[in-house]
Amino acid sequence: MTIQQVLLLLLLWMWLPHPCHTEMLFRRTPDLRPKNFGGRASGNDGKAIHRQKRGWMWNQFFLLEEYTGSDYQYVGKLHSDQDKGDGSLKYILSGDGAGTLFIIDEKTGDIHATRRIDREEKAFYTLRAQAINRRTLRPVEPESEFVIKIHDINDNEPTFPEEIYTASVPEMSVVGTSVVQVTATDADDPSYGNSARIIYSILQGQPYFSVEPETGIIRTALPNMNRENREQYQVVIQAKDMGGQMGGLSGTTTVNITLTDVNDNPPRFPQSTVHLRVPESSPVGTAIGSVKATDADTGKNAEVEYRIIDGDGTDMFDIVTQKDTQEGIITVRKPLDYETRRLYTLKVEAENTHVDPRFYYLGPFKDTTIVKISVEDVDEPPIFSRSSYLFEVHEDIELGTIIGTVMARDPDSASSPIRFSLDRHTDLDRIFNIHSGNGSIYTSKPLDREISQWHNLSVIASEINNPKDTTRVPVYVRILDVNDNAPQFAVFYDTFVCENARAGQLIQTISAVDKDDPLGGQKFFFSLAAVNPNFTVQDNEDNTARILTRRNGFSRHEISTYLLPVVISDNDYPIQSSTGTLTIRVCACDSRGNMQSCSAEALLLPAGLSTGALVAILLCIIILLVIVVLFAALKRQRKKEPLILSKEDIRDNIVSYNDEGGGEEDTQAFDIGTLRNPAAIEDKKLRRDIIPETLFVPRRTPSAPDNTDVRDFINQRLKEHDTDPSAPPYDSLATYAYEGNDSIAESLSSLESGTTEGDQNYDYLREWGPRFNKLAEMYGGGESDKDTS
């Protein structure tokens, strides 16, 4: 508590009536009852007690709040006129806080407060007092009610319900425009003194805002406050009690004030001229650039609408307002051509869509700028003189005839030569071709309207300097008809004539078809190739004809079938005609002309082979094929039989066992002991592949010791074979299980001798050593050969 507050409390204490001078007195009051009324009461002792009517004469007690003394605070004194001061009376206190907050001296009637009291918690207390005889415990005074009222002191500062207020006011508002009202509350007693009288003042925010002292309404204090210069303000408001006098308590709050936007700024283009570029190949609708006018306002006040108001490109370009970015997007309205025009000028206007009439004086809320658009040259593809071509050609033209010419040009300023080609996907049969230089299309194969009447081609034009830049154009070729097909029977006619037919009788109506399609329509004429004594043809002149008999009676036993050649011709140029033969069978008919039976031979002649005959031929072919397959399989199986049929045949031949072995670790794949011990091999047997002229007794060779080297063993065996007279004098492969070094000689096989012509010279065999003496004797000369044989 400050010194000022202590002094204030002392002054209040002096001004208020002191409680120690306050007491409640009990006085006798006259008996107001009627004369005839009397009351008598008998006590426990049987004596009559005469009750006298008494009343309380007292003043209201006042107690100062927030007492800070160390002793109990004295409230007041209760006293009865029956109190003689001998202690025979006893004072009793009851009610709010009696016995806890307030205590009374039973003998003297002095009342004290036991603790500090806050008026803001409870402003007054209602109690009841009574004086009784201490000995008899009977009341000497009736119970009376009194009030202890708490006097207020300024111990509560004003408070605002919110620490921070948020408010807004439009910019450019006039002075005194209300912004917001703030209100503070004080818990002190507003009916006593000035403790709750609040005065408002502004501590921060001048000179922009002011506050009304009594109401707390904040108002603008400066004219034409511009949001674009400053948008946020912070104002501190103070609320002070005691009417704002010195010594009063105070509280503060902060008010954040925002200036809201109004449309007081027109849009402005940052540049007076804008330059844009666009390629001439840009399609319609392409965005080529944008313009933007700046507006210091925000929200809807800054919304701008763009339009083209003048210029020489108003018909070539459009402008669209982009709402989210507030930009004007310029787009292509029509196709551009660098060679036609290279520069366009537009005058673009930007105008606010929401204008505030209060600020018309600030000027027009619109602005303009000049947009210059340069068209850039690009390498454009060739352009054909037409969007499509249609050529008509007769089908009988000669090969290489030009049917039409397509034309294209390079639209660029630097005109480049054009190369033409055909898309072969549109001409798979390669019927047409095109001259790459001048675009002339000519035929490379004969045309036939009856096969294809239309040909849809695609011609490609590309610049020679830039082959990748191409353009296509459709070319439609219509093949015009030429009378190059002869009419033929429309269907196959199965015609018969009855044996009892009469002359002039109709036996068949025929018609014809022609693949050609003349402009005037088809017109056919029917006639006989030669005069026929049996039948005649009568033209109906409607592309049909009737076959009539010329005599009476036919006999199928004499002639069962007649062949009637009919000539059919058209009337187009050049006239085409063909001869169709009608097969007329002679059949037995009833009296009404209904066929009953015909000659079997006549039925088989036009039909050719019957179905049964065809099935029989097919079965024979299948059986022959099966026999050939079986024979080939048996022959193949015979070829697979091995030459050596027994394991005992030890001829030196190559035998494939289809076993690669186990490599170097396979110790059981070959028994070297067998090679070193020839005795382990069975006795030699006669060879089966030749018939020796002289039989020699086989010689037994001594076995080699176990420590003999394999190379030495093989050399020894080789010498034995060289000196062995029983060795066969034929070409054979001998395997010694040791390959040795490569031979300088080529193959000596007699199998290859058949490929050479004449005798060969084998004298060089004598120079190869004793190992080849036998061969030298066999092939060295003719005389040795005769002696050997």
Side-chain angles (χ1 to χ4, degrees):
M1 185 177 293
T2 62
I3 298 176
Q4 292 82 356
Q5 292 176 342
V6 173
L7 293 176
L8 180 62
L9 291 175
L10 292 176
L11 291 174
L12 290 174
W13 180 266
M14 295 172 62
W15 291 343
L16 295 174
H18 202 279
C20 61
H21 298 288
T22 303
E23 63 178 10
M24 182 176 288
L25 300 178
F26 293 95
R27 292 186 178 181
R28 299 182 183 274
T29 57
D31 191 359
L32 300 178
R33 291 179 298 174
K35 298 294 185 177
N36 57 356
F37 177 80
R40 182 178 296 273
S42 59
N44 296 333
D45 53 2
K47 296 180 181 181
I49 298 177
H50 298 277
R51 182 171 183 176
Q52 297 178 352
K53 188 69 175 180
R54 297 186 181 277
W56 293 92
M57 300 299 294
W58 55 279
N59 293 327
Q60 187 178 26
F61 290 152
F62 292 93
L63 183 63
L64 189 66
E65 69 170 332
E66 302 294 343
Y67 174 72
T68 58
S70 59
D71 297 332
Y72 289 164
Q73 185 179 4
Y74 183 74
V75 179
K77 184 179 182 65
L78 295 178
H79 185 71
S80 174
D81 57 359
Q82 298 293 324
D83 189 358
K84 303 300 183 182
D86 55 359
S88 60
L89 294 183
K90 179 181 179 181
Y91 294 96
I92 300 174
L93 187 65
S94 62
D96 293 341
T100 56
L101 179 58
F102 302 102
I103 58 176
I104 189 171
D105 190 338
E106 296 179 352
K107 296 181 179 180
T108 63
D110 294 328
I111 301 174
H112 291 82
T114 60
R115 59 180 175 82
R116 295 171 58 183
I117 298 176
D118 189 0
R119 189 202 67 83
E120 284 71 37
E121 292 181 1
K122 194 172 180 66
F124 61 90
Y125 295 86
T126 302
L127 294 96
R128 294 180 298 278
Q130 190 176 25
I132 62 174
N133 188 288
R134 187 181 296 274
R135 184 177 61 83
T136 62
L137 300 179
R138 291 185 178 182
V140 297
E141 293 292 349
E143 185 179 47
S144 180
E145 186 177 78
F146 66 95
V147 175
I148 300 177
K149 188 174 181 181
I150 309 302
H151 272 304
D152 182 47
I153 64 173
N154 189 17
D155 59 344
N156 292 278
E157 69 277 3
T159 59
F160 290 92
E162 298 181 13
E163 293 182 2
I164 297 177
Y165 287 85
T166 301
S168 62
V169 63
E171 63 174 334
M172 308 298 290
S173 297
V174 297
V175 176
T177 301
S178 176
V179 180
V180 67
Q181 182 179 14
V182 294
T183 303
T185 58
D186 196 323
D188 294 327
D189 189 1
S191 62
Y192 181 75
N194 293 326
S195 298
R197 184 186 173 193
I198 298 174
I199 297 298
Y200 299 94
S201 62
I202 183 169
L203 300 181
Q204 177 183 329
Q206 300 95 342
Y208 306 103
F209 299 95
S210 63
V211 64
E212 293 183 357
E214 299 292 337
T215 61
I217 298 175
I218 301 174
R219 300 182 182 274
T220 57
L222 284 181
N224 299 329
M225 285 192 295
N226 196 342
R227 183 197 65 84
E228 288 72 35
N229 295 333
R230 183 177 177 182
E231 185 177 3
Q232 300 288 339
Y233 295 87
Q234 190 176 71
V235 178
V236 178
I237 301 297
Q238 182 189 62
K240 190 173 183 181
D241 58 11
M242 298 296 295
Q245 299 177 3
M246 183 179 297
L249 303 179
S250 64
T252 60
T253 187
T254 301
V255 182
N256 293 327
I257 301 175
T258 302
L259 295 183
T260 58
D261 185 59
V262 297
N263 192 6
D264 58 340
N265 293 281
R268 291 289 180 263
F269 283 105
Q271 298 175 350
S272 59
T273 304
V274 179
H275 294 274
L276 298 177
R277 295 181 179 272
V278 55
E280 64 173 332
S281 60
S282 300
V284 174
T286 302
I288 63 174
S290 64
V291 294
K292 184 175 183 179
T294 59
D295 194 326
D297 299 323
T298 61
K300 69 176 184 178
N301 297 320
E303 292 182 0
V304 178
E305 187 72 25
Y306 297 91
R307 64 179 63 91
I308 299 174
I309 60 175
D310 198 4
D312 54 9
T314 55
D315 59 335
M316 301 298 295
F317 302 94
D318 278 333
I319 189 168
V320 180
T321 303
Q322 195 76 18
K323 295 297 183 181
D324 52 348
T325 61
Q326 289 298 305
E327 292 180 333
I329 308 299
I330 299 177
T331 60
V332 178
R333 184 176 182 180
K334 292 182 179 180
L336 304 173
D337 188 5
Y338 172 82
E339 288 71 28
T340 303
R341 186 160 190 172
R342 304 181 182 183
L343 180 65
Y344 294 91
T345 302
L346 303 177
K347 187 175 183 180
V348 178
E349 180 186 71
E351 183 180 9
N352 280 137
T353 56
H354 302 280
V355 181
D356 194 336
R358 296 178 299 170
F359 304 105
Y360 278 154
Y361 67 92
L362 295 177
F365 285 80
K366 62 178 66 176
D367 195 16
T368 59
T369 187
I370 300 299
V371 179
K372 294 185 177 181
I373 303 174
S374 299
V375 180
E376 296 180 343
D377 186 25
V378 296
D379 192 3
E380 297 177 275
I383 298 177
F384 284 95
S385 60
R386 301 179 189 175
S387 59
S388 63
Y389 292 86
L390 173 63
F391 299 137
E392 293 183 347
V393 59
H394 287 89
E395 60 178 329
D396 61 344
I397 62 173
E398 297 179 358
L399 295 181
T401 302
I402 296 176
I403 64 172
T405 302
V406 297
M407 291 182 293
R409 64 178 180 86
D410 184 7
D412 299 322
S413 56
S415 180
S416 174
I418 305 300
R419 179 180 179 274
F420 299 94
S421 61
L422 276 176
D423 185 355
R424 289 303 175 185
H425 292 89
T426 61
D427 185 24
L428 297 177
D429 296 332
R430 296 182 176 270
I431 300 175
F432 301 94
N433 211 337
I434 188 171
H435 192 281
S436 61
N438 57 22
S440 298
I441 301 175
Y442 57 92
T443 59
S444 58
K445 289 184 179 180
L447 303 178
D448 190 351
R449 189 200 67 87
E450 286 69 39
I451 296 177
S452 179
Q453 185 176 357
W454 286 92
H455 294 274
N456 300 326
L457 307 178
S458 179
V459 176
I460 304 173
S462 60
E463 298 179 11
I464 295 179
N465 298 333
N466 186 12
K468 295 182 179 180
D469 208 355
T470 62
T471 304
R472 294 171 178 264
V473 67
V475 177
Y476 307 105
V477 181
R478 181 181 180 183
I479 309 301
L480 300 179
D481 186 40
V482 174
N483 191 26
D484 57 348
N485 292 277
Q488 297 176 351
F489 283 132
V491 294
F492 173 77
Y493 294 102
D494 185 11
T495 307
F496 70 92
V497 61
C498 296
E499 291 180 316
N500 56 358
R502 295 179 179 272
Q505 184 175 345
L506 175 65
I507 62 172
Q508 183 70 56
T509 299
I510 59 175
S511 62
V513 293
D514 194 335
K515 294 180 180 179
D516 297 323
D517 187 16
L519 297 177
Q522 299 285 1
K523 180 63 177 177
F524 302 125
F525 301 95
F526 301 90
S527 62
L528 293 179
V531 177
N532 190 295
N534 302 311
F535 305 98
T536 186
V537 174
Q538 184 177 357
D539 196 337
N540 295 328
E541 296 183 357
D542 59 354
N543 293 337
T544 63
R546 296 183 297 171
I547 306 299
L548 304 175
T549 59
R550 297 188 65 180
R551 64 183 179 87
N552 297 328
F554 294 88
S555 175
R556 57 177 173 166
H557 298 289
E558 296 179 359
I559 300 177
S560 60
T561 303
Y562 292 92
L563 298 179
L564 182 64
V566 178
V567 178
I568 310 172
S569 58
D570 54 23
N571 67 335
D572 204 357
Y573 178 82
I575 296 176
Q576 300 288 340
S577 63
S578 66
T579 301
T581 301
L582 282 178
T583 301
I584 304 174
R585 296 177 297 158
V586 180
C587 302
C589 303
D590 56 11
S591 58
R592 297 181 179 179
N594 297 324
M595 181 180 65
Q596 293 181 341
S597 63
C598 297
S599 174
E601 290 77 3
L603 292 176
L604 290 176
L605 283 175
L609 295 177
S610 64
T611 304
L614 292 176
V615 172
I617 292 173
L618 291 176
L619 289 177
C620 291
I621 293 173
I622 293 173
I623 292 172
L624 290 176
L625 290 176
V626 172
I627 292 173
V628 171
V629 171
L630 292 177
F631 179 76
L634 293 175
K635 187 175 181 180
R636 183 178 299 177
Q637 185 174 5
R638 289 179 181 179
K639 288 183 179 181
K640 291 183 178 180
E641 292 182 357
L643 181 61
I644 300 174
L645 301 176
S646 174
K647 296 181 180 179
E648 298 176 356
D649 192 351
I650 56 174
R651 291 175 301 161
D652 293 333
N653 288 304
I654 297 176
V655 181
S656 175
Y657 295 96
N658 295 325
D659 185 15
E660 294 181 358
E664 295 179 357
E665 298 180 357
D666 189 0
T667 58
Q668 299 178 358
F670 180 76
D671 188 5
I672 195 66
T674 304
L675 180 62
R676 295 179 176 179
N677 187 12
I681 305 176
E682 295 180 5
D683 294 339
K684 294 182 179 180
K685 294 184 179 181
L686 298 179
R687 304 178 72 93
R688 297 183 180 180
D689 53 351
I690 63 170
I691 302 176
E693 298 178 358
T694 305
L695 297 178
F696 299 91
V697 179
R699 298 189 306 167
R700 292 190 176 272
T701 59
S703 62
D706 294 337
N707 56 357
T708 302
D709 187 74
V710 176
R711 182 188 296 270
D712 297 337
F713 171 75
I714 293 176
N715 290 332
Q716 180 182 353
R717 293 284 290 170
L718 181 59
K719 291 179 180 181
E720 292 175 359
H721 278 76
D722 290 341
T723 58
D724 187 5
S726 63
Y730 54 84
D731 191 8
S732 179
L733 177 63
T735 302
Y736 299 99
Y738 181 79
E739 294 181 0
N741 297 326
D742 294 336
S743 175
I744 60 174
E746 297 179 355
S747 175
L748 300 178
S749 175
S750 60
L751 298 176
E752 297 179 356
S753 60
T755 59
T756 60
E757 296 180 358
D759 297 333
Q760 297 184 15
N761 187 9
Y762 296 98
D763 293 338
Y764 59 88
L765 297 177
R766 301 181 184 276
E767 300 175 0
W768 287 5
R771 297 181 182 179
F772 299 93
N773 290 336
K774 183 66 67 176
L775 288 176
E777 293 176 0
M778 293 173 61
Y779 298 96
E783 296 178 357
S784 61
D785 293 341
K786 294 177 181 179
D787 295 338
T788 305
S789 60

